[in-house]
Amino acid sequence: MTSVPTPIPSRTQFVQDGIKHRILTGQLTPGQALVETELAAQFGVSKTPVREALKTLAGTGLVVMNQYKGVTVRMVDADMAHEVYDVRLLLEPEALRRSVRRGSSLDTAREALERADNATDTAQRSLANREFHRSLYVRCGNPLLGRMLDEVRDQAALVSAVAWAANPSWEREATEHREILRLALEGDSDSAARALHSHIASFVQRAFPEAQEKGEQE
């Protein structure tokens, strides 16, 4: 039987994935300048795929393009955290509720928790955390809802990276993750959704208390 060759990612996609990984794992920090010539040399490509990759990342909210300051990693503050986590609070618990009611497989979530427990550095934990949350909503039965959450996924990970750098809270969140998964596996969709809502809200409240105050005023 003839095997189908694995598609080779374009240079732009290769650079985009590389820059995103560096941002979300803290190798590139908020406010840091992203210079096309330097990135091109690091990735072994011309400036064109770098430029296209940066445009895409600007569209997802991970980088900011300024006519005078050039391209920089997006800064994270209470306003940004509030906007991103407000969307998550509105949509993610409902998506999980629907996933549980549909009887969707949560094997990916269980595997992500195991990877987080066995992680040897912050980068591995961060990526496992992102995969855990996505696995809770991606099979909700509404592709549009999943895509909407995907659109804020990278920004949420950036907020988390900044918060963890200042105050690591992996163990607490891992405990909360296990409780969310336990409830979901038991088929208790409402309790799982409430636990997820509490988990998301408590994280942003601890990391950015100004964001909580802003939400209460609106």
Side-chain angles (χ1 to χ4, degrees):
M1 181 177 178
T2 304
S3 61
V4 178
T6 302
I8 300 175
S10 68
R11 291 182 179 180
T12 298
Q13 188 66 49
F14 168 71
V15 173
Q16 179 183 322
D17 291 344
I19 296 174
K20 179 193 291 189
H21 179 82
R22 294 182 184 186
I23 292 173
L24 298 182
T25 56
Q27 297 173 60
L28 293 171
T29 57
Q32 184 171 341
L34 301 175
V35 183
E36 289 183 7
T37 52
E38 294 178 358
L39 291 170
Q42 291 171 18
F43 287 103
V45 298
S46 68
K47 290 197 297 182
T48 299
V50 173
R51 187 177 302 117
E52 293 303 314
L54 291 175
K55 288 179 180 178
T56 300
L57 292 172
T60 66
L62 281 184
V63 308
V64 176
M65 307 185 84
N66 184 285
Q67 181 179 354
Y68 304 103
K69 296 181 180 180
V71 184
T72 57
V73 179
R74 183 173 181 177
M75 293 294 294
V76 175
D77 57 20
D79 287 339
M80 185 258 197
H82 169 72
E83 292 173 3
V84 173
Y85 274 70
D86 190 38
V87 172
R88 291 187 66 192
L89 286 168
L90 289 170
L91 301 181
E92 199 167 325
E94 177 60 26
L96 172 59
R97 181 183 287 109
R98 295 186 181 195
S99 293
V100 174
R101 288 178 177 174
R102 285 167 53 85
S104 301
S105 172
L106 292 169
D107 288 345
T108 305
R110 186 186 291 108
E111 292 166 1
L113 282 187
E114 292 175 357
R115 287 200 304 277
D117 288 340
N118 297 324
T120 57
D121 58 34
T122 301
Q124 292 178 1
R125 291 192 191 96
S126 178
L127 294 173
N129 177 73
R130 294 175 69 228
E131 185 57 35
F132 173 77
H133 277 276
R134 187 172 192 274
S135 67
L136 297 180
Y137 67 73
V138 72
R139 296 183 177 87
C140 66
N142 185 330
L144 177 58
L145 177 55
R147 288 195 299 272
M148 291 173 69
L149 284 165
D150 276 346
E151 287 182 6
V152 299
R153 181 172 173 237
D154 289 343
Q155 294 179 57
L158 180 58
V159 172
S160 298
V162 171
W164 286 324
N167 181 27
S169 53
W170 295 105
E171 292 185 5
R172 172 173 177 167
E173 283 139 38
T175 299
E176 293 173 355
H177 284 172
R178 285 189 283 270
E179 177 63 9
I180 293 166
L181 182 59
R182 182 187 68 80
L183 293 168
L185 290 172
E186 289 179 355
D188 191 342
S189 60
D190 290 334
S191 294
R194 284 194 295 270
L196 177 58
H197 187 283
S198 177
H199 167 70
I200 296 171
S202 63
F203 178 83
V204 75
Q205 183 177 3
R206 292 194 308 274
F208 296 91
E210 311 96 311
Q212 177 71 12
E213 294 171 3
K214 178 181 176 66
E216 292 173 350
Q217 292 170 1
E218 293 179 349

